[in-house]
Amino acid sequence: MRRSLCLILGALALLAPPALAEVIPISQVNADDVDGHPVLWTQMVTVKGVVTVPTGLLSSLNDFYIQDATGGLNIAQELTASPFVAAGDSVLVTGRVSVANGKRTFV
């Protein structure tokens, strides 16, 4: 099985998710079908993780990384987006799984 690091563009929610939102493991977002496409393509999902690389540490962008016990994700925010997160913060991210420029995205 091919493992890939996902680039996520999406809404960062530090509050509780909507009542009907089911939090899924990050590994489900990273899962590909036999053709290499995201299994959850176009689906709106919510993941929870701990920030391992804070906002902007590895680039001048608003990127940060989260992980749970099943995998990790790159979260990319617009340059004007907030909040800024610190290593160790627990966050919820909700978005639609997609692919843009060959990278997994959360929009």
Side-chain angles (χ1 to χ4, degrees), residues 89-107:
D89 286 351
S90 181
V91 296
L92 292 171
V93 181
T94 298
R96 189 170 309 279
V97 179
S98 184
V99 174
N101 299 321
K103 295 181 181 179
R104 188 86 35 111
T105 61
F106 229 38
V107 249

Side-chain angles (χ1 to χ4, degrees), residues 12-16 83-85 89-92:
L12 174 66
L14 295 176
L15 302 174
F84 290 92
V85 295
D89 286 351
S90 181
V91 296
L92 292 171

Side-chain angles (χ1 to χ4, degrees), residues 21-99:
E22 175 187 356
V23 177
I24 64 169
I26 290 172
S27 62
Q28 288 185 20
V29 175
N30 287 335
D32 291 332
D33 64 18
V34 294
D35 295 321
H37 301 290
V39 172
L40 297 175
W41 192 300
T42 73
Q43 295 185 37
M44 184 71 70
V45 298
T46 299
V47 295
K48 180 179 181 179
V50 175
V51 176
T52 55
V53 178
T55 306
L57 181 66
L58 297 180
S59 70
S60 60
L61 304 176
N62 261 356
D63 289 15
F64 64 95
Y65 292 77
I66 66 170
Q67 71 180 52
D68 66 9
T70 69
L73 296 171
N74 176 306
I75 312 298
Q77 303 181 93
E78 294 181 16
L79 288 176
T80 58
S82 62
F84 290 92
V85 295
D89 286 351
S90 181
V91 296
L92 292 171
V93 181
T94 298
R96 189 170 309 279
V97 179
S98 184
V99 174

